[in-house]
Amino acid sequence: MRRQVLLFILVLPLAAVLGQASYSIPEEMEKGSLVCNLAQDLGLDVKRLKSGKARIHSGDSAEYIELNRERGVLLIKQRIDRETLCGETTPCALHLQMILENPIELFRITIEITDINDNAPSFASTEKHFEISESAVIGSKFVLEKAIDADIGTNDLQSYSLKPTLNFALKLENQADGSKKVEMVLQKPLDREQQEKISLLFTAVDGGQPRMSGTMQITVNVLDANDNAPIFTKPLYKATLTENSPKGTSVITVRASDKDGGSNAEISYAISNSKRRLSDLFQIDRKTGEVILIGEIDYEKTKLFQIDIEASDNGGLSDSSKILVDITDINDNSPQMKILSKSDSILEDSPESTVIAVLSVNDPDSERNGEAKCNINNDIPFKIQNTMNGFYSLVTEIALDREASSQYNISVTCSDEGVPSLSSSVTLTLQISDVNDNAPVFERGSYEAYIVENNTPGLSIFTVRARDADWNQNARVSYILEDSSVNGVPVSSYVSVSADSGVIHAVRSFDYEQIKDFHFRVKAQDGGSPPLSSNVSVKIMIQDQNDNPPQVLYPVQTGGSVVAEMVPRSADVGYLVTKVVAVDVDSGQNAWLSYKLQKATDRALFEVGLQNGEIRTIRQVTDKDAVKQRLTVIVEDNGQPSRSATVIVNVAVADSFPEVLSEFTDFPHDKEYNDNLTFYLVLALAVVSFLFITCLVVIISVKIYRWRQSRVLYHSSLPVIPYYPPRYSDTLGTGTLPHVYNYEVCRTTDSRRSDCKFGGAGSQNVLIMDPSSTGTMQRMQSEKSILDEPDSPLEQKPPNNDWRFTQGQRPGPSGATGGPEVAMGTGPWPQPPTEAEQLQALMAAANEVSEATATLGPGTMGLSTRYSPQFTLQHVPDYRQNVYIPGSTATLTSNPQQQQATAQQATQQALPPPQASAQPEPPKAAQTPASKKKSTKKEKK
């Protein structure tokens, strides 16, 4: 690497010592490469760089260079591409400033970036088509597109070549800007009849080492008769354009003439390709040749434009010229101010001419438009001085007094000399602070913290805090991890402390098995000068985590051979076969191990000690026991979640070694086969068991369903006539029967399905209505009565209010007649049954039941003519629990004080409202025996 060093030392009357150094480096250096030893070149000590907080200011440029304070050298921070940084500008240099504090010093550093051959020549297009008339004269010129090479100097484009050279040759012409104008010259007449299309390879080569090149394919189509090329009126056009001109501004109009006529005289204009993307800034009218501005022009970026233009006719002949556009500057930039260094606070005992801030002022305009002057507001004890071109220092003018003013707002204004003048300003706030006389104090005398092992690196452990009684900068506490070692390793590889917040982070993942605790010290230092500090002891304790599975030490698992424990057939109960030995490197309950027998050839023969891992026999060994016994023992720890390990113990039940050897010869080979066979046998057994249980459940369900149907459904073709409940209780106390009897009779045409049940006296089953509830009946019967009637519900709901007995359905004389309304079941009873009719119906029912039991046989039951043939007793429900009046929600009770009121309420609820119109309803379908049995259990009287 070539490096040039130029060092200047300039001593000014100010407190700062200024100097200048120049270096030269090639582009594309690797990141971290050494640029120079700045401290040595400037004659500075490395300690001065640290104490002065040396830093590099790069202005508007990107940060390509960084300063290493520890070594005092400049390093490459990121790759430098000269073409991106400077383009065509030469020389290409970085202008840096190094600033030191306490006292403030400023050094200017210039680093020139030299070019290397890292860009190959390239064409804007890979193909070029020409249409040339066969009548073209020898010496006709055809402008070729120039190649672009971003490099400069010897690495830039050097030469062109054209192959083959049978008809054409290259002509190069040097131009004022250093580029070369490339033309293809016809040196042999064309003959379209011999060759209609010619293919040429145009190559551009640079001068770098190694050389790099770019190619373009040229295709020439030979045409007929166009023997005059266009000619520009001037070989060079000049124009002037003011910067910031609006888009659409006309720059200049060029013209070319062609002696040909017709279509061959039609000329089209175009802008040739160049290194600069001029097509983004300028546009030429293809017909008129007017050049128009389509982009933004900035004098500070480019002061002169050279536009290569081309005029071509329809025959493929062309001529070239160029336009030089000179850009005029205007005062469109205000001075740019940047604070390079400033002090937020200053001690009240600071001496005069103490530097408070350093500013850089730059105006990109030219001449007087770029000359700037700076001043500050009045009545403040400060002044501003121009230390060097473009740099100003703000210093104290007289001694400061914090008691007079603890804060100053300093406004710095810079104005240029342009017309009209542009200015910019910045305001600095300066605090006047006290001296530093208080050291930081930690909240505790020492700290202890716990962290679980296997933590994530970077995890926050806890926070240490210290407070400083001083003000502002003197009270700003920074936390530093003091240098120490833990087991010979620096403590910084275990933990780190945030300098601002005091948060202690784990740098690595801790392992309890390697380190259980460690100590270190944290120092709190304030920002005063000189700084004061204090330290505190911190202890970190690692908590164990169940992160290690048990490790089996014995028996040792071997992959190539089978190791078996021998058990003689004469072994008694409790014989010690072997002992599984395992350890867990964890601690506490995470290391408590338990042993379990997971799988065994014969579980009834062996057992494993839960705590000690001893494998013992649990019964007497017999001759029937297999010689090969395979035991799988699982070892689990007591952690959460627990971890485990398994070990396979082969046991040979034999008295002699040859017997063991013959049995265990094929042991490893049968393992996979036996495991597969066991799996399929278990799977088959599970499937067969599932099918058997499913079939059994289906059969039982069908049997239960048929049994219930046989009890509920009775196949009978006789019509079903609702019967007034045979059980009747005189709630008014005027009846003559001392007891109420109930019975159930089931008769069909098939007498084998007939059933008859007799009940006892029912006076003890009279229900009393609960005064506090209107819909619930409390049953006053014993548990024996409940068991006698399993089908009776514990609590029945009141019947639907729409339910009625028709007049023809009621027994007794009152059921002999009934109007249409009563027959439809929508109206009330016109004449409620008298007590005599009710008693008569009850006695008739009891007599018919007694006759039916005496003459029970195939056919119908012997009933009186009153109920035959229209009425057949299918199933009479039991009404022992609840007694309801049809069409009412009232409940009958045997309470003498409430009988009269209950009877009247039931009669009123059975009648519909007077205003309700009696609209006949269609007759309901006849009830089946099953539905009748269910409905009669809910109907109460």
Side-chain angles (χ1 to χ4, degrees), residues 560 562 628 630 664-674:
V562 177
K628 295 185 295 184
R630 186 182 180 89
F664 275 82
T665 302
D666 57 344
F667 189 91
H669 306 286
D670 296 339
K671 175 182 180 298
E672 183 177 358
Y673 172 76
N674 292 336

Side-chain angles (χ1 to χ4, degrees), residues 76-94:
I76 298 296
K77 188 173 184 180
Q78 63 179 0
R79 282 179 176 268
I80 302 175
D81 187 2
R82 192 205 63 81
E83 289 74 19
T84 303
L85 181 63
C86 300
E88 297 180 12
T89 304
T90 56
C92 179
L94 294 176

Side-chain angles (χ1 to χ4, degrees), residues 98-150:
M98 184 181 72
I99 303 168
L100 297 177
E101 297 180 1
N102 299 323
I104 293 179
E105 295 178 332
L106 181 66
F107 298 89
R108 297 191 65 178
I109 303 169
T110 302
I111 300 177
E112 181 182 357
I113 309 300
T114 60
D115 181 54
I116 64 174
N117 190 26
D118 58 340
N119 293 280
S122 62
F123 293 92
S125 59
T126 59
E127 293 182 1
K128 179 73 174 179
H129 294 271
F130 288 98
E131 294 182 351
I132 305 175
S133 174
E134 63 177 348
S135 62
V137 297
I138 296 176
S140 298
K141 295 182 291 183
F142 305 94
V143 179
L144 298 180
E145 176 184 351
K146 292 185 289 187
I148 300 174
D149 194 336

Side-chain angles (χ1 to χ4, degrees), residues 582-815:
V583 296
D584 194 329
V585 297
D586 291 325
S587 64
Q589 65 176 7
N590 295 330
W592 297 351
L593 302 181
S594 60
Y595 304 82
K596 297 179 182 177
L597 186 61
Q598 186 181 30
K599 188 189 300 182
T601 305
D602 188 358
R603 283 185 172 273
L605 183 58
F606 301 97
E607 69 175 359
V608 179
L610 182 63
Q611 303 298 333
N612 52 24
E614 295 179 352
I615 301 177
R616 295 181 180 272
T617 58
I618 56 178
R619 62 173 175 82
Q620 182 71 36
V621 179
T622 63
D623 295 335
K624 296 180 180 181
D625 294 328
V627 175
K628 295 185 295 184
Q629 298 287 336
R630 186 182 180 89
L631 309 180
T632 302
V633 179
I634 181 171
V635 183
E636 294 183 346
D637 58 23
N638 199 35
Q640 292 296 332
S642 63
R643 294 178 176 265
S644 62
T646 58
V647 60
I648 298 176
V649 180
N650 297 316
V651 179
V653 181
D655 292 324
S656 61
F657 182 79
E659 182 181 359
V660 174
L661 185 62
S662 62
E663 290 293 337
F664 275 82
T665 302
D666 57 344
F667 189 91
H669 306 286
D670 296 339
K671 175 182 180 298
E672 183 177 358
Y673 172 76
N674 292 336
D675 291 344
N676 294 336
L677 180 60
T678 303
F679 171 77
Y680 289 119
L681 289 176
V682 172
L683 180 62
L685 180 60
V687 172
V688 171
S689 302
F690 174 79
L691 295 177
F692 171 77
I693 294 174
T694 303
C695 295
L696 186 62
V697 170
V698 170
I699 292 173
I700 294 175
S701 301
V702 171
K703 289 293 184 181
I704 294 176
Y705 176 79
R706 291 180 178 178
W707 175 75
R708 291 180 63 87
Q709 287 296 102
S710 65
R711 294 194 60 203
V712 175
L713 300 177
Y714 297 91
H715 304 285
S716 175
S717 60
L718 297 178
V720 179
I721 301 176
Y723 179 67
Y724 193 78
R727 175 185 176 188
Y728 184 81
S729 176
D730 186 3
T731 59
L732 298 178
T734 59
T736 58
L737 294 179
H739 300 287
V740 178
Y741 294 88
N742 55 12
Y743 58 90
E744 290 183 10
V745 178
C746 299
R747 289 292 292 165
T748 65
T749 55
D750 186 2
S751 61
R752 289 176 298 176
R753 294 184 177 274
S754 302
D755 187 14
C756 182
K757 296 182 181 179
F758 292 93
S763 60
Q764 69 274 21
N765 294 329
V766 176
L767 303 179
I768 300 176
M769 182 178 68
D770 188 357
S772 62
S773 176
T774 60
T776 304
M777 298 298 295
Q778 296 180 349
R779 184 173 55 204
M780 306 298 294
Q781 59 183 11
S782 62
E783 288 295 325
K784 181 177 181 181
S785 299
I786 298 176
L787 296 174
D788 292 341
E789 186 65 16
D791 292 336
S792 299
L794 296 178
E795 180 177 320
Q796 295 186 355
K797 297 180 180 179
N800 195 307
N801 293 334
D802 295 335
W803 181 87
R804 302 283 189 275
F805 276 119
T806 63
Q807 187 71 11
Q809 291 175 335
R810 292 200 299 274
S814 60

Side-chain angles (χ1 to χ4, degrees), residues 804 828 832 885-890 900-914:
R804 302 283 189 275
I885 295 177
S888 173
T889 58
Q900 186 67 25
T902 305
Q904 294 178 359
Q905 182 181 0
T907 303
Q908 295 176 358
Q909 293 180 352
L911 297 176

Side-chain angles (χ1 to χ4, degrees), residues 22-55:
S22 298
Y23 303 92
S24 177
I25 61 173
E27 65 173 333
E28 301 295 337
M29 292 181 65
E30 294 289 335
K31 181 180 179 181
S33 300
L34 177 66
V35 177
C36 63
N37 192 329
L38 188 61
Q40 179 179 352
D41 296 339
L42 295 178
L44 298 176
D45 190 4
V46 177
K47 295 181 179 180
R48 169 58 181 147
L49 297 181
K50 295 180 183 179
S51 62
K53 300 179 181 180
R55 62 184 181 274

